[in-house]
Amino acid sequence: MTALVGYVMGTRGPLSFSRLGVALVGTALVAAGASALNMVLERRTDALMLRTRNRPVAAGRLRVTEALAFGLGLTLAGLAILRFGAGALSAMVALLTWAKLPVRVHAPQDADVAVDDRGRLPGRVATGHRVGSRARPDRAGAVVLFAILFLWQIPHFLAIAWIYREDYARGGLPMLPVLDPAGVVTGRQAVANSLALLLVSVVRRSPAGGRLYFAGAVCLGVAFTSVAVWSAIRRTAGGGA
């Protein structure tokens, strides 16, 4: 989806559906390869957590060498498709975003939140425009899109971490809800970032589609923030482990 949005936002004139298809397939393969390699890197942690212990590598259904070969094969296939079907720059950007995907940093600040820009930028580049070129002068709009993608993930991951905080503790991952059992700081962070997301979404009147976008951003932003506020106040046990 992020590759699709990036492609459409970066296109001037009629869409090239063949080029779009190449960009989506290539990006999907690279992302799938990164996910497979992530399971290799985190197999020991996954084996300790109830929600991840049945993943193929953690459960022992796949050997590490098999999963490694599978992940690298998907990645190389996706990069080749992007290189020869969408351009070298798109493949290079996909490779850079792939390189940071499998590595997760587990820190008290809930650093497991990763910026989900892996599809948007390769999709944007696949249109044929150069990054920062004059063909796409709306750099402020690009910053807004990046900020939206970044900010929405924080309340999203905080909610997941809160529901599965016992499981994260079992796996030895010091996520914020693990270190904040009362949920006060977690709730405050979710509300603050939801408000920031709402403000960023409407800071530019038309980063994606005029009045329709503005109305949708306001309605969805208010709804998202309301859920965050309600959750911060109630701080129910959630799904637990």
Side-chain angles (χ1 to χ4, degrees), residues 132-224:
S133 70
R134 293 182 180 179
R136 180 61 170 165
D138 187 15
R139 295 176 183 175
V143 171
V144 169
L145 283 174
F146 182 88
I148 290 173
L149 285 168
F150 177 81
L151 287 170
W152 84 267
Q153 293 178 94
I154 300 177
H156 166 71
F157 278 108
L158 286 175
I160 294 175
W162 175 257
I163 293 173
Y164 294 104
R165 59 194 181 280
E166 294 178 9
D167 216 12
Y168 279 115
R170 186 179 294 108
L173 305 179
M175 306 293 281
L176 180 57
V178 175
L179 304 178
D180 175 40
V184 176
V185 179
T186 302
R188 186 164 62 233
Q189 288 290 327
V191 172
N193 284 280
S194 297
L195 285 171
L197 173 62
L198 174 59
L199 293 175
V200 167
S201 298
V202 299
V203 69
R204 285 175 58 82
R205 181 61 182 249
S206 182
R211 294 180 180 179
L212 180 61
Y213 164 82
F214 186 80
V218 170
C219 293
L220 293 173
V222 169
F224 196 36

Side-chain angles (χ1 to χ4, degrees), residues 109-135:
Q109 293 78 16
D110 200 33
D112 198 29
V113 177
V115 182
D116 192 12
D117 62 347
R118 55 187 177 271
R120 188 194 68 79
L121 192 52
R124 150 83 166 80
V125 173
T127 63
H129 296 314
R130 294 183 180 274
V131 175
S133 70
R134 293 182 180 179

Side-chain angles (χ1 to χ4, degrees), residues 162 182-184 186-188 190-191 225-237:
W162 175 257
V184 176
T186 302
R188 186 164 62 233
V191 172
T225 303
S226 299
V227 172
V229 171
W230 180 246
S231 300
I233 295 173
R234 295 182 65 201
R235 300 199 298 276
T236 57

Side-chain angles (χ1 to χ4, degrees), residues 18 62 67 105 205:
S18 60
L62 280 179
V105 180
R205 181 61 182 249

Side-chain angles (χ1 to χ4, degrees), residues 2-3 21-39 67-68 70-84 86-102 116-123:
T2 54
V22 168
L24 293 180
V25 171
T27 301
L29 289 173
V30 173
S35 297
L37 294 173
N38 174 262
M39 292 188 188
L68 184 61
F70 180 70
L72 290 176
L74 289 176
T75 301
L76 292 174
L79 290 175
I81 290 173
L82 288 173
R83 168 62 182 86
F84 295 106
L89 184 58
S90 183
M92 182 184 70
V93 171
L95 178 61
L96 291 175
T97 54
W98 168 88
K100 72 179 178 61
L101 266 174
D116 192 12
D117 62 347
R118 55 187 177 271
R120 188 194 68 79
L121 192 52

